[in-house]
Amino acid sequence: MNSRKTIIQLLQKAFERIARQNTDFDAYQSHFLKKLQVSPSEQATNKLFEECLEQLNKNAYPLEETLSEGRLIVSQSQIQLQRLNGLSPASEQKIDKVTLPVKPRSIIEFHNELTNIIKIYQRVVIELSNSTKKQHGDEDYQCEDACNELQELIINLDIGEVYLKQLDEIRQKIAVLDDPIKLPEYCITIISIIIDSTREERRLSRHFLYTLNDSLSEFYNNFSKNVKQAEHSFDEQEQCIKTIQRQSVRLKNNAEQAVNIKDLRNDIFAYVNSIEQLIVAKEKSKTEKIQFQLQSMVREIKELQDETKGYQRTINKQNSQLHIDFLTKVPNRAAWSERLMQEFNRCKRYKNPLKLAIIDVDKFKKINDSFGHLAGDKVLKAVAQTLQKSLRNVDFLARYGGEEFTVLLPEINQQQMQIALDKLCHKVKNIPFKFKKENIMITVSIGCTDFVDGDDLDTAFERADNALYEAKKNGRDQVVYHDKK
């Protein structure tokens, strides 16, 4: 491995550590690495590095602000918990012990703070639920809000696929939970899985540091070898010059002592022949070294290309897994946020039309209450698949949360959007859905708007949300459009 290959690998690893903090730089860094691998000269490489530095300076990474905001939420949560009455002494003691002595420097430390406060919240929810049950004398009382909140938490957790499958199994059990006593056990299991996921991340980080240390050591060794080779080349060149100087002195002496032209001519011929042989030998040695170096570079570039393709496949797979909703198999809220920003920036730059729609499954809670959460999950899957198949390839559908979906429709006018969304309502309404031999009618309400000058992401979304509220209020199973007033 030479120094160039090592530097590219170090940059790849470094970019992985800051990924998903700025979407613009994520897109740029992939382009940067591709150009760096085929950079034709040192001058071009330096220009790429300057361009990358400019991009880094341009993009902010507000991690510190995010940690500070989360820390403030933890502090406020402690104050709110301390105001609650009727808690057990053990819970009150745990709340009082929640302190923030050290400012978290890493995401893991911040995660530990949140995990601790979540544990206390779960304990308080269970205690308050049991207290309400005793007050009302309802033995069949179920912690429905806590169950729904836990399911939403599981769906939105951003952890590895293996752990996500374990959590989904628990989520399905919580969805049909009929015994509130089991809820604490599930909470403890969820926390254990999150902790295991954090430990795995820590292990991978440790492995990365070890690999980085090995790469740096190899880089240092290669650099030392290159320095020694350069010193050796300088020594050879110096010896060559000295040889030429010695032969020049000898020729001069012979010329001074020569008694006839023939002897002088022979001396000159011998000197020139010696110099030619020396130059030929030197050029041959130099050519062989260059050929060897070129062959080595070709091999290393090929290895680097193969490794880069492997990294790219792994990264693409991980990104696709992290951006897909586990239940419905359509893009999740994180993917929505990234795509929304991309389309919004494109809309502002090129002045192309962009529409936004929010879709909500009508009376979804009633479906859950009447047929169970398993039926609700199947309804969401069926609706998501129907919506995905009914949209254009350029449209973007995502599950925003719960029974709510969002859609971006670029390059379309208002009339075309109305026709497309009416078609979605009709398609969903005609889903032949049965659960345990009983037909279930599914309808959706849709609120939509378009992005106009002066809009930001929040104002347009709020306008579409208000349109959705109006669609619900006016009888559901319809599309309502709101423009900017």
Side-chain angles (χ1 to χ4, degrees):
M1 183 185 294
N2 61 13
S3 58
R4 178 185 178 88
K5 180 178 178 182
T6 304
I7 289 173
I8 293 177
Q9 289 184 338
L10 288 175
L11 286 172
Q12 286 177 325
K13 293 296 183 181
F15 286 154
E16 288 175 8
R17 310 309 288 181
I18 63 171
R20 302 181 64 193
Q21 295 187 40
N22 187 291
T23 53
D24 291 337
F25 188 79
D26 284 350
Y28 167 79
Q29 63 92 1
S30 177
H31 176 67
F32 165 77
L33 287 174
K34 288 179 181 178
K35 292 181 68 175
L36 182 62
Q37 290 168 12
V38 296
S39 177
S41 66
E42 183 178 354
Q43 183 179 4
T45 301
N46 291 336
K47 187 175 180 181
L48 282 174
F49 282 137
E50 291 173 359
E51 178 184 290
C52 182
L53 182 60
E54 182 180 347
Q55 288 292 329
L56 285 169
N57 291 331
K58 186 188 303 181
N59 296 310
Y61 299 94
L63 184 60
E64 184 66 30
E65 296 177 9
T66 304
L67 293 178
S68 298
E69 181 182 357
R71 202 159 180 264
L72 177 61
I73 293 172
V74 172
S75 301
Q76 292 173 344
S77 298
Q78 181 191 10
I79 295 172
Q80 292 171 352
L81 288 170
Q82 287 173 333
R83 293 174 179 171
L84 294 175
N85 298 320
L87 300 180
S88 67
S91 292
E92 290 178 349
Q93 188 177 10
K94 282 183 176 292
I95 294 170
D96 292 334
K97 284 184 177 180
V98 175
T99 56
L100 304 171
V102 180
K103 185 177 181 181
R105 273 192 58 81
S106 67
I107 296 177
I108 292 178
E109 291 172 354
F110 172 66
H111 180 271
N112 291 337
E113 282 190 352
L114 288 181
T115 301
N116 189 28
I117 203 72
I118 289 173
K119 288 180 183 178
I120 295 174
Y121 260 110
Q122 296 299 338
R123 184 184 183 99
V124 169
V125 168
I126 294 166
E127 286 190 11
L128 293 179
S129 299
N130 290 337
S131 176
T132 304
K133 176 180 175 181
K134 291 177 182 177
Q135 290 175 8
H136 294 280
D138 183 4
E139 295 182 358
D140 296 328
Y141 177 80
Q142 299 197 15
C143 305
E144 183 177 350
D145 290 341
C147 290
N148 291 337
E149 189 174 341
L150 276 175
Q151 290 183 72
E152 192 70 24
L153 172 69
I154 291 171
I155 289 173
N156 292 324
L157 276 175
D158 189 8
I159 61 177
E161 184 178 5
V162 175
Y163 300 101
L164 199 58
K165 287 181 179 179
Q166 297 177 23
L167 287 174
D168 192 64
E169 291 176 1
I170 297 175
R171 187 192 66 79
Q172 293 180 17
K173 294 177 181 178
I174 294 174
V176 295
L177 183 67
D178 56 0
D179 184 4
I181 302 298
K182 295 181 181 178
L183 192 57
E185 178 185 344
Y186 290 144
C187 291
I188 292 173
T189 305
I190 291 171
I191 293 169
S192 298
I193 292 174
I194 293 174
I195 291 173
D196 289 342
S197 174
T198 303
R199 286 174 177 166
E200 177 65 13
E201 182 180 352
R202 186 180 301 166
R203 185 190 68 79
L204 293 174
S205 298
R206 190 184 300 116
H207 175 71
F208 166 72
L209 290 175
Y210 289 151
T211 304
L212 179 61
N213 182 67
D214 293 340
S215 298
L216 288 172
S217 298
E218 187 170 356
F219 172 75
Y220 174 77
N221 292 333
N222 289 334
F223 182 77
S224 300
K225 289 178 182 178
N226 289 333
V227 170
K228 290 180 180 178
Q229 289 177 357
E231 291 175 348
H232 181 68
S233 297
F234 288 138
D235 290 340
E236 287 182 346
Q237 185 175 358
E238 187 177 358
Q239 291 298 325
C240 181
I241 292 173
K242 288 181 179 179
T243 301
I244 294 175
Q245 289 175 339
R246 286 196 299 271
Q247 292 180 354
S248 297
V249 171
R250 187 181 302 113
L251 177 62
K252 181 180 178 182
N253 292 335
N254 291 341
E256 292 176 348
Q257 298 173 5
V259 295
N260 56 55
I261 296 298
K262 183 177 180 182
D263 292 339
L264 180 60
R265 184 178 62 185
N266 291 336
D267 289 337
I268 294 173
F269 179 80
Y271 171 75
V272 172
N273 187 50
S274 174
I275 295 298
E276 286 180 349
Q277 290 178 356
L278 186 63
I279 293 173
V280 170
K282 188 68 177 176
E283 288 298 323
K284 182 179 179 181
S285 174
K286 183 177 179 181
T287 302
E288 290 176 350
K289 286 183 179 178
I290 292 175
Q291 288 177 343
F292 178 76
Q293 290 174 350
L294 287 175
Q295 291 172 354
S296 299
M297 288 176 64
V298 169
R299 284 196 304 269
E300 290 177 354
I301 290 173
K302 182 64 171 61
E303 292 173 0
L304 182 59
Q305 288 176 338
D306 293 339
E307 289 182 11
T308 303
K309 289 178 182 178
Y311 289 144
Q312 193 66 44
R313 285 193 295 268
T314 301
I315 290 172
N316 290 338
K317 182 179 179 181
Q318 290 175 345
N319 286 339
S320 63
Q321 290 172 350
L322 292 174
H323 286 74
I324 294 297
D325 179 63
F326 192 78
L327 177 65
T328 60
K329 305 305 180 186
V330 299
N332 59 16
R333 188 164 177 172
W336 163 260
S337 298
E338 290 188 10
R339 183 63 174 268
L340 177 61
M341 181 61 72
Q342 293 172 4
E343 294 293 347
F344 179 67
N345 290 335
R346 189 177 292 114
C347 170
K348 288 198 301 182
R349 186 182 303 117
Y350 301 110
K351 306 300 180 183
N352 294 332
L354 177 63
K355 314 298 182 188
L356 166 67
I358 305 176
I359 304 172
D360 190 81
V361 180
D362 295 328
K363 298 182 179 180
F364 184 72
K365 187 176 185 302
K366 185 177 179 181
I367 294 175
N368 278 338
D369 293 341
S370 302
F371 302 97
H373 286 81
L374 184 59
D377 287 351
K378 291 187 176 181
V379 166
L380 291 177
K381 291 178 183 178
V383 170
Q385 292 172 5
T386 301
L387 294 175
Q388 190 77 287
K389 291 177 181 178
S390 304
L391 291 167
R392 303 173 301 166
N393 291 335
V394 295
D395 299 331
F396 184 79
L397 169 73
R399 185 185 179 192
Y400 192 76
E403 67 273 20
E404 201 168 69
F405 297 86
T406 48
V407 182
L408 284 172
L409 302 103
E411 303 291 341
I412 192 172
N413 61 38
Q414 183 179 338
Q415 182 180 4
Q416 292 169 332
M417 176 183 66
Q418 187 73 37
I419 294 173
L421 297 180
D422 285 336
K423 177 184 174 184
L424 292 184
C425 284
H426 178 73
K427 290 276 189 181
V428 171
K429 192 173 183 178
N430 285 276
I431 295 176
F433 191 85
K434 280 189 176 184
F435 188 76
K436 294 183 179 179
K437 298 183 179 180
E438 186 168 351
N439 292 322
I440 300 178
M441 171 68 74
I442 307 172
T443 61
V444 294
S445 299
I446 304 178
C448 58
T449 189
D450 52 353
F451 286 91
V452 295
D453 290 340
D455 267 341
D456 57 30
L457 299 179
D458 294 333
T459 54
F461 193 90
E462 184 178 357
R463 209 160 51 241
D465 198 41
N466 291 335
L468 173 63
Y469 175 78
E470 185 176 328
K472 291 281 190 181
K473 185 179 177 181
N474 292 342
R476 302 181 177 86
D477 188 24
Q478 58 184 280
V479 179
V480 174
Y481 170 82
H482 275 189
D483 57 3
K484 187 174 184 180
K485 297 179 181 178

